[in-house]
Amino acid sequence: MVSHQNDAGTAKLERVVIRFAGDSGDGMQLTGDRFTHEAAAFGNDLATQPDFPAEIRAPQGTLPGVSSFQIQIADYDIFTAGDQPDVLVAMNPAALKANLDDLPRGAIVIVNTDEFSKRSLAKVGFVADPLSDETLSDFVVHRVPMTSLTSSATESTGVGKKDAQRAKNMFALGLLSWMYGRPIGGTEQFMREKFAARPDIAEANIVAFRAGWNYGETTESFATTYEIAPAQLPAGTYRQITGNTALAYGLITAGRLAELPVFLGTYPITPASDILHELSKYKHFDVTTFQAEDEIAGIGAALGASLGGALGVTSTSGPGLALESETIGLAVMTELPLIVIDVQRGGPSTGLPTKTEQADLLQALYGRNGESPVAVVAPRSPADCFATALEAARIALGYRTPVLLLSDGVIANGSEPWSVPDVTRLDAIDPAFEQDGDDAEGFRPYTRDPDTLARPLAVPGTKGRTHRIGGLEKADGSGDISYDPANHDLMVRLRQAKISGIAVPDLEVNDPEGRAELLLIGWGSTYGPIGEACRRARRRGVPVAHAHLRYLNPLPANLGDVLRRYRTVVAAELNGGQLAMLLRAKYLVDVKPWTKITGTAFTVQEMVGVIDAALDGSIEDLEQDKVFAARAQATYRTVGGNT
């Protein structure tokens, strides 16, 4: 946070990282989202990362029940939501304690003192009041009785005490909006629309928001405001967007480009459910959403829709993908287009539903019976989800194949500015369905396009195009059931050749000076931390190259040459080293894994440390199972065997 003070008491900043934290019922996600909207409207570059409990009603006042929302805003292009918060708004002791270790020296801490009772302090293990001892001596602390100030301010609205106190998050938002010069009109209008059926609640929230603004304006302890200029982004129309929303928009656009209806068959599962919620709003764009009784029914309906001439899609997370494996195999056998969105979360089993992970890569590639290859793509950021959804549709329709799109919790829930494309300049997608024809010589549904190896696709009811469909092995050309060994060998290899032959662009490498000896490679949400760490390293005069994979099956044709170009290659991913293992096996290159499985994203500082360790030769070069075993044993000993 670089600042320049002027005479008017306003400090000019290049960037700031703000974290709102409180109970899951304190409205921290809404508060952060509103601050994000105003930052986007102001023109800052931004990145956000929400964090919340998995439980619908997490225990109040406890560490597991803390919900937070972090945003970084800047006057230049940024890659992540930031490592450490420059400003922490803590609505209770649990929020303070849960986030205290993340604060850098000199950070601003704004606490809601009304919630710091002896009982609430004891609940999270504070022996003494941290507002009275030396716990916060390294920080700039502002003690604000937000609950009582909100209750007093909203008395005139006539709402009950409980509803009045619920508005304290708007008091916090008003205070932060004043501190950082955010406009207020948008938030007030939002409240009127959100609570249109309860105008008294809308008024209470607006009054609380204004009270927070006025508190900052009139209280001497807040002597400085902060100014962050708009970012100089490429010309265009921008809006703030989350990854799940961008995926939904990409699917809608793909349907329009292909002139096909979009059908989403799905079962709600964190963190993918927002895709269903968003798509359900767009029936007027020929979008049908079907909430099934489980994931198996959802993907079955989606595959049936694909056979019927729609763009069939299902959305899920790791546990649901496991259930859907048999139907994905059916789509491989029948060679039907299908988009399967897997928004990855911590596993195994139910695991960590609201935390992030990238551990489904091997499941996406190989998690089915038999030889059943599919295309796999992965967006790198929330805004990139739009283009990746379009690409998934092009591949699925063009090659008659399931496409697995691997997003993750960081991308799905995070947000950033998105440059809204001119849809008139997007290439049309031709599904190339069979048209009515003469069946005198018999329709051969498993003949193949010589360029793509895709089979013809005939919607049931197309004149002269009757054929058998199902999961039993197909005879080459005719599509009849076949148990012939030679035919099975041929069909397995044809299906693999079709996927291997999908046209994907060469991998681009960010190596500005062309003299780096270290390459960092990643996929999915690791793009931001790796990219920012490389940028920082280059500022120090340390040459380092960065490559990021969108296409995970097939891999780019030049990937092997890229890997062999560098003395040291490190693959950073939020799993046990799955990509590193694949690259080692396929290209016989000593790709060193750098992994993290904490349910949280890499920080930029962690990746800076990886760069330094790789260059000085101290990076861990052990087998992954040995590394994990050592870490687990060390942790177990540290906590005395009581995990």
Side-chain angles (χ1 to χ4, degrees), residues 360-385:
D360 294 348
L361 176 57
L362 294 182
Q363 181 181 196
L365 289 168
Y366 306 117
R368 294 163 297 282
N369 67 296
E371 298 285 345
S372 51
V374 298
V376 181
V377 296
R380 69 185 191 182
S381 68
D384 188 48
C385 285

Side-chain angles (χ1 to χ4, degrees), residues 479-545:
D480 294 338
I481 295 172
S482 173
Y483 292 93
D484 179 70
N487 177 79
H488 178 58
D489 183 271
L490 172 64
M491 296 300 280
V492 166
R493 297 185 189 280
L494 280 172
R495 288 189 289 264
Q496 179 61 63
K498 181 178 68 172
I499 300 301
S500 299
I502 293 172
V504 304
D506 279 349
L507 180 66
E508 296 182 1
V509 182
N510 185 359
D511 186 2
E513 298 181 9
R515 60 186 183 91
E517 295 186 347
L518 168 64
L519 170 69
L520 265 64
I521 190 167
W523 64 281
S525 62
T526 61
Y527 173 80
I530 296 175
E532 178 60 30
C534 290
R535 182 158 65 178
R536 292 185 187 181
R538 293 174 191 137
R539 288 172 181 167
R540 293 185 288 134
V542 177
V544 58

Side-chain angles (χ1 to χ4, degrees), residues 206-222:
I206 292 170
V207 168
F209 177 73
R210 291 174 179 170
W213 178 284
N214 292 332
Y215 185 85
E217 182 76 27
T218 58
T219 305
E220 293 183 1
S221 61
F222 290 92

Side-chain angles (χ1 to χ4, degrees), residues 59-393:
Q60 284 191 320
T62 65
L63 295 177
V66 172
S67 174
S68 67
F69 188 104
Q70 182 162 304
I71 176 174
Q72 179 174 201
I73 57 176
D75 64 3
Y76 61 92
D77 64 307
I78 56 175
F79 293 141
T80 74
D83 286 0
Q84 298 175 300
D86 303 303
V87 181
L88 172 66
V89 179
M91 303 301 286
N92 60 18
L96 177 63
K97 188 165 188 177
N99 295 284
L100 196 56
D101 290 342
D102 293 340
L103 296 175
R105 184 185 296 271
I108 295 173
V109 180
I110 303 172
V111 295
N112 178 16
T113 56
D114 287 330
E115 302 300 322
F116 278 68
S117 64
K118 289 184 178 180
R119 180 181 179 185
S120 61
L121 290 168
K123 185 180 288 189
V124 295
F126 277 125
V127 178
D129 187 349
L131 304 182
S132 304
D133 60 18
E134 297 299 311
T135 302
L136 303 178
S137 59
D138 290 336
F139 314 117
V140 178
V141 182
H142 296 282
R143 300 166 175 82
V144 183
M146 297 187 204
T147 305
S148 56
L149 288 173
T150 301
S151 295
S152 298
T154 56
E155 282 182 2
S156 61
T157 65
V159 298
K161 180 180 179 181
K162 190 174 183 179
D163 286 330
Q165 292 183 350
R166 281 177 175 169
K168 62 182 180 289
N169 64 322
M170 288 297 104
F171 183 99
L173 178 60
L175 176 56
L176 268 292
S177 296
W178 172 83
M179 287 178 63
Y180 290 93
R182 304 294 99 177
I184 64 174
T187 294
E188 294 188 356
Q189 180 63 28
F190 171 82
M191 287 299 161
R192 290 191 177 93
E193 293 174 358
K194 179 177 178 63
F195 298 107
R198 290 290 306 276
D200 56 334
I201 299 297
E203 184 63 20
N205 279 275
I206 292 170
V207 168
F209 177 73
R210 291 174 179 170
W213 178 284
N214 292 332
Y215 185 85
E217 182 76 27
T218 58
T219 305
E220 293 183 1
S221 61
F222 290 92
T224 303
T225 58
Y226 303 92
E227 179 183 318
I228 301 173
Q232 298 301 309
L233 301 175
T237 300
Y238 288 84
R239 60 151 289 177
Q240 172 260 346
I241 200 166
T242 66
N244 278 345
T245 300
L247 283 175
Y249 288 179
L251 294 171
I252 296 168
T253 305
R256 295 298 81 213
L257 293 173
E259 298 184 355
L260 295 179
V262 175
F263 180 92
L264 177 75
T266 189
Y267 181 76
I269 184 171
T270 303
S273 299
D274 285 341
I275 300 170
L276 167 63
H277 301 159
E278 190 65 32
L279 283 175
S280 67
K281 304 174 185 177
Y282 295 98
K283 297 179 179 65
H284 55 291
F285 281 124
D286 208 3
V287 175
T288 299
T289 53
F290 169 57
Q291 180 175 322
E293 63 269 28
D294 56 33
E295 289 88 350
I296 297 172
I299 191 174
L303 184 59
S306 290
L307 176 62
L311 178 59
V313 185
T314 192
S315 56
T316 190
S317 190
L321 184 63
L323 293 172
E324 294 172 353
S325 62
E326 185 176 6
T327 304
I328 296 173
L330 177 61
V332 171
M333 176 60 75
T334 55
E335 300 191 45
L336 290 171
L338 178 68
I339 299 176
V340 180
I341 298 172
D342 174 15
V343 185
Q344 301 164 96
R345 69 190 204 187
S349 188
T350 307
L352 306 172
T354 60
K355 310 302 179 183
T356 197
E357 208 163 272
Q358 291 181 300
D360 294 348
L361 176 57
L362 294 182
Q363 181 181 196
L365 289 168
Y366 306 117
R368 294 163 297 282
N369 67 296
E371 298 285 345
S372 51
V374 298
V376 181
V377 296
R380 69 185 191 182
S381 68
D384 188 48
C385 285
F386 178 84
T388 306
L390 287 183
E391 187 66 4

